[in-house]
């Protein structure tokens, strides 16, 4: 076991921890908005680390084995960029759709958007 | 004006070709690519670039400045990743203890371009604790769902830290 393995294990552990946390948050939070917080962002952060582990794996094989493994590294990187772009967009779309169909944020101390839509 | 359009089309073609190269690494002997893939890439990138450059370049060529891309990279690796990590730990704490105080607040960032407001809203959504719900397209005001409301009528500084300053430097 060399330092590549150690780094990959650390990244995978962090990623798995945050993805598990997202699952717990999904069960614990009261309404769609707070669940979106847990369900989209912790998974983004977790996925960054899981992807980093795969990228490290690919880079090691790229250096020591053959150029064919560059495809693993670069495709994982592209997937990571796509996750980073689409995840907040999806969360935004769900939140907006929920508010437009009349779902009130639970236990909210203030709702400025309702004031605006009420006008 | 014509000069600008030619420049925009050329840049789009190069961008398409670059993405094609990323997708086809390890196909042959020319560094990482085979001759077939290079030729197919040039043809496809030219067609797609010429068809789509009007969609990619809407108003001006300000994003062609490499300094803005370096700034964007610095932003994503520096303050963005740091506040994302910090806010993730904060949400972890809230998941475990269940202490939340949610609400939808309104902030008015001083951003004018579509790209700027998109970057800003996505940055807000990606840092846990804040989620952009809606945007007022006329005044560019953002409605943000905040999991722990500290201030009923906050400034964008209180919600998103230094993001607004960075986004203005990158995209406007």
């Amino acid at each position: 076991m060399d330092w590549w393995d150690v780094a990959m294990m650390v990244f995978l552990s962090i990623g798995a921890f945050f993805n598990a946390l997202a699952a717990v948050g999904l069960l614990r939070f009261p309404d769609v908005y707070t669940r979106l917080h847990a369900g989209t962002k912790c998974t983004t952060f977790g996925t960054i680390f899981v992807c980093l582990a795969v990228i490290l794996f690919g880079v090691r094989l790229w250096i020591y084995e053959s150029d064919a493994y560059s495809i693993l590294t670069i495709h994982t990187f592209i997937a990571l960029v796509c996750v980073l772009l689409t995840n907040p967009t999806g969360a935004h779309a769900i939140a907006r759709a929920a508010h437009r169909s009349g779902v009130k944020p639970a236990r909210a101390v203030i709702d400025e958007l309702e004031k605006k839509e009420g006008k | 004006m014509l000069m600008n359009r030619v420049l925009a089309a050329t840049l789009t073609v190069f961008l398409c070709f670059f993405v094609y190269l990323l997708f086809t690494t390890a196909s042959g002997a020319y560094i990482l690519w085979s001759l077939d893939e290079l030729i197919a890439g040039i043809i496809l990138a030219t067609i797609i670039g010429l068809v789509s450059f009007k969609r990619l370049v809407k108003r001006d060529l300000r994003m062609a400045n490499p300094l803005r891309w370096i700034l964007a990279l610095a932003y994503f690796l520096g303050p963005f990743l740091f506040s994302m990590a910090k806010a993730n730990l904060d949400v972890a704490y809230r998941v475990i203890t269940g202490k939340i105080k949610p609400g939808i607040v309104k902030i008015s960032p001083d951003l004018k371009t579509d790209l700027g407001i998109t970057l800003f809203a996505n940055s807000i959504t990606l840092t846990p604790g804040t989620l952009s719900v809606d945007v007022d397209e006329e005044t560019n005001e953002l409605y943000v769902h905040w999991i722990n409301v500290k201030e009923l009528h906050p400034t964008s500084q209180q919600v998103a830290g230094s993001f607004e300053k960075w986004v203005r430097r990158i995209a406007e």
Side-chain angles (χ1 to χ4, degrees):
Chain A
M1 201 165 82
D2 52 3
W3 70 269
W4 289 93
D5 282 325
V6 175
M8 273 184 264
M9 278 176 197
V10 168
F11 281 159
L12 277 180
S13 311
I14 296 173
F17 172 72
F18 277 104
N19 278 333
L21 210 64
V24 177
L26 213 57
L27 293 171
R28 268 183 76 95
F29 282 154
D31 71 332
V32 59
Y33 303 103
T34 40
R35 281 179 178 163
L36 273 177
H37 280 286
T40 61
K41 288 168 258 179
C42 290
T43 51
T44 314
F45 200 64
T47 307
I48 289 178
F49 281 98
V50 173
C51 285
L52 275 179
V54 177
I55 287 173
L56 271 187
F57 182 73
V59 167
R60 180 170 73 166
L61 290 176
W62 189 358
I63 294 172
Y64 295 117
E65 301 276 327
S66 82
D67 278 350
Y69 289 100
S70 64
I71 212 159
L72 181 65
T73 310
I74 291 170
H75 283 204
T76 313
F77 181 73
I78 294 172
L80 180 59
V81 172
C82 290
V83 166
L84 279 179
L85 285 175
T86 52
N87 214 330
T89 317
H92 168 68
I94 295 172
R96 186 171 167 174
H99 205 281
R100 292 216 167 164
S101 27
V103 181
K104 301 276 171 290
R107 288 195 252 155
V109 287
I110 184 170
D111 191 348
E112 290 269 7
L113 187 56
E114 195 184 6
K115 280 187 216 161
K116 176 202 161 203
E117 283 176 348
K119 264 183 224 163
Chain B
M1 195 59 217
L2 179 73
M3 195 61 211
N4 267 356
R5 285 182 62 187
V6 171
L7 200 60
T10 318
L11 281 172
T12 315
V13 168
F14 271 104
L15 191 68
C16 290
F17 187 55
F18 178 68
V19 174
Y20 190 90
L21 287 186
L22 283 186
F23 273 115
T24 55
T25 52
S27 57
Y30 295 85
I31 310 176
L32 285 173
W33 297 275
S34 67
L35 195 61
D36 303 358
E37 291 285 12
L38 288 177
I39 292 169
I42 288 169
I43 294 170
L44 286 172
T46 312
I47 296 170
I48 296 170
L50 288 180
V51 170
S52 65
F53 77 94
K54 277 182 196 155
R55 300 260 159 239
L56 190 72
V57 185
K58 282 255 168 64
R59 256 187 12 198
D60 48 31
L61 281 167
R62 66 183 191 286
M63 288 312 289
N65 186 347
L67 202 65
R68 288 176 186 271
W69 290 90
I70 293 168
L71 258 180
L73 197 68
Y75 166 64
F76 284 120
L77 294 179
F80 181 72
L81 210 62
F82 176 71
S83 67
M84 200 168 165
K86 202 174 65 178
N88 256 295
L89 293 175
D90 181 64
V91 164
Y93 166 76
R94 276 172 218 295
V95 166
I96 292 162
T97 60
K99 276 184 200 159
I100 53 170
K101 192 182 166 199
I104 295 181
V105 296
K106 183 170 79 172
I107 54 174
S108 338
D110 185 21
L111 301 165
K112 287 172 197 69
T113 55
D114 283 356
L115 181 66
I117 202 85
T118 311
L119 255 182
F120 187 60
N122 268 6
S123 300
I124 282 182
T125 303
L126 265 183
T127 50
T130 48
L131 174 78
S132 50
V133 178
D134 206 349
V135 58
D136 190 327
E137 278 167 39
E138 279 150 32
T139 54
N140 277 350
E141 282 163 336
L142 276 174
Y143 294 88
V144 177
H145 186 271
W146 201 1
I147 206 164
N148 182 35
V149 175
K150 294 180 196 130
E151 186 80 42
L152 288 185
H153 302 283
T155 58
S156 74
Q157 178 81 28
Q158 282 163 318
V159 175
S162 58
F163 286 176
E164 191 190 337
K165 214 170 57 194
W166 277 92
V167 168
R168 201 178 303 133
R169 261 186 261 156
I170 291 167
E172 307 223 324

